[in-house]
Every structure is written in C-alpha cells, then in structure tokens.
Amino acid sequence: DAKTTQPTSMDCAEGRAANLPCNHSTISGNEYVYWYRQIHSQGPQYIIHGLKNNETNEMASLIITEDRKSSTLILPHATLRDTAVYYCIGALGSSGSRLTFGEGTQLTVNP
Amino acid sequence: EPEVTQTPSHQVTQMGQEVILRCVPISNHLYFYWYRQILGQKVEFLVSFYNNEISEKSEIFDDQFSVERPDGSNFTLKIRSTKLEDSAMYFCASSELWHPSTDTQYFGPGTRLTVL
C-alpha cells in the first residue's frame, strides 16, 4: 500500500470549504486514493475514492493531481458535524484487501 | 440505507475468558473484515473473509483469534483467551465482490472490548 502523509490537524470555520491535503508520492498506478473519516471513535465512514480523475459525490469532492502524487479532499460547506479525523488511504481496491490507516488529519470545524 | 451492525456495543470480560463479537454485514455483501483500534492508536486490519475462508490476515491475527460465518447473516470474531492488550474497539466491515471499478468497505459502529 502507498504511504500517505497528511497534516496532523486543521481548523475550518463553519460554512466554509475545508480542503484537506494528502501526499502519496509512492502510489502505484493501480492504487486508488480512498478517503474515510472517523467521528470520535465511531466506525470509519467512507467518503469518496478516485484513481486519476476528480470525483464528486454528495459528501465531498476529490481532486487528484495529474501526476497522482497528491490529492485534496474538499468539503464544500463544512458543518460542526464534520469535525472528525480524516484518513487518506492508498489501496488497490480489490475485494478482501486490507485498508492501511495512518494517523489522519484531525479536522475541527469551529462555529 | 443499509448498514453494518455490531453487537454488543460494549463487552467487559476477565482476562483468560473467551469472547465472541458479532457483526451483521450489509445483506448483499460477500467480503467481510475485522479491524481493531486500541485507544489512541491507529485502526489496524485483522482479517478478511470470503466464501467461508480467510482471504488475508495480519500478523496480529494469531491462533487466539478465529472468524466464522455461522449462518447466512452473522459474521463473528472469537478471541479464545483474552489478554489485557486485547482491550480495543473492534470494527467489522463488509464489501461487495470486486468489480471492474473498486470495492468499498463499509464499517460498523464497533464493539468496545474491555479486558480486566
């Protein structure tokens, strides 16, 4: 699995966009970038994933650089409930394969 | 929206006792997983399971651990003789069979295991 590097913590004002960066310079061509979050020791919650193209769903947008060495998760209008640890994970995405969680980024959304 | 469920939410046991943690994966999912998170540490992969066989296991998943799909809906993790260091949150996850896109794992809320 690709090693990923994320800032330890970030703050964001409620209602503003939260942009969470991730470096994954060793990611291989067939590894996807997955984002999960964990709210206060609850189970990790899937957010979004992508391979090369930018992706958007109802929760977030994922911007992957052309060289695939880094990506940014964007929460367009952060709310207090988005306060969580966000994990960027490089993984093959094949069934049965492990997800390797790092330390993640603690995002705190402030009122 | 379908969810992974886990029972119990909190289990307290004495060291040396056997525990069984239960999970009900999402109904059309065929791959099942267990992860654990010791307080203040990372989420760690334990095992994946498909078609009544272990697909992959980590170095943590030693002989004291076992997994089973005893019926069509439950997926269990058994710890034979619990140790203090087994105290952790245990998360079950499930995913659909791989298809040309990717396979996404969905996690349950966890069982907090406390070994005294």
Side-chain angles (χ1 to χ4, degrees), chain A residues 98-99, chain B residues 4-8 20-25 31-37 43-49 56-58 61 65-69 74-78 89-94 105 107-108 110-111:
Chain A
R98 69 180 70 190
L99 294 174
Chain B
V4 176
T5 59
Q6 292 185 242
T7 54
I20 297 176
L21 309 183
R22 291 182 167 80
C23 167
V24 178
Y31 272 87
F32 316 116
Y33 311 78
W34 284 102
Y35 291 78
R36 80 172 185 190
Q37 186 175 31
V43 177
E44 301 173 290
F45 170 81
L46 293 178
V47 67
S48 61
F49 187 85
E56 184 182 356
K57 62 181 181 179
S58 72
F61 194 87
F65 291 94
S66 62
V67 288
E68 189 180 28
R69 183 126 161 102
N74 289 285
F75 178 52
T76 62
L77 174 69
K78 182 192 292 186
M89 284 289 288
Y90 287 81
F91 297 110
C92 174
S94 70
Q105 296 178 31
F107 286 76
T111 292

Side-chain angles (χ1 to χ4, degrees), chain A residues 32 36 38 49 93 95-96 98, chain B residues 37 48 56 98 102-103 105:
Chain A
Y32 289 77
Y36 281 80
Q38 188 175 28
H49 72 277
S95 296
R98 69 180 70 190
Chain B
Q37 186 175 31
S48 61
E56 184 182 356
W98 180 83
T102 67
D103 200 19
Q105 296 178 31

Side-chain angles (χ1 to χ4, degrees), chain A residues 3-57:
Chain A
K3 179 172 167 48
T4 61
T5 305
Q6 300 177 251
T8 303
S9 64
M10 293 183 65
D11 285 287
C12 176
E14 190 178 17
R16 304 300 292 267
N19 298 286
L20 293 98
C22 178
N23 286 322
H24 34 77
S25 57
T26 62
I27 199 168
S28 63
N30 58 349
E31 282 184 308
Y32 289 77
V33 179
Y34 282 83
W35 282 85
Y36 281 80
R37 72 181 182 184
Q38 188 175 28
I39 298 172
H40 201 258
S41 295
Q42 295 176 22
Q45 179 188 20
Y46 167 76
I47 301 173
I48 199 167
H49 72 277
L51 183 64
K52 298 180 198 175
N53 300 321
N54 299 336
E55 303 287 346
T56 295
N57 63 18

Side-chain angles (χ1 to χ4, degrees), chain B residues 82-102:
Chain B
T82 51
K83 306 179 187 125
L84 295 176
E85 54 265 36
D86 293 327
S87 294
M89 284 289 288
Y90 287 81
F91 297 110
C92 174
S94 70
S95 67
E96 293 182 87
L97 187 62
W98 180 83
H99 52 79
S101 175
T102 67

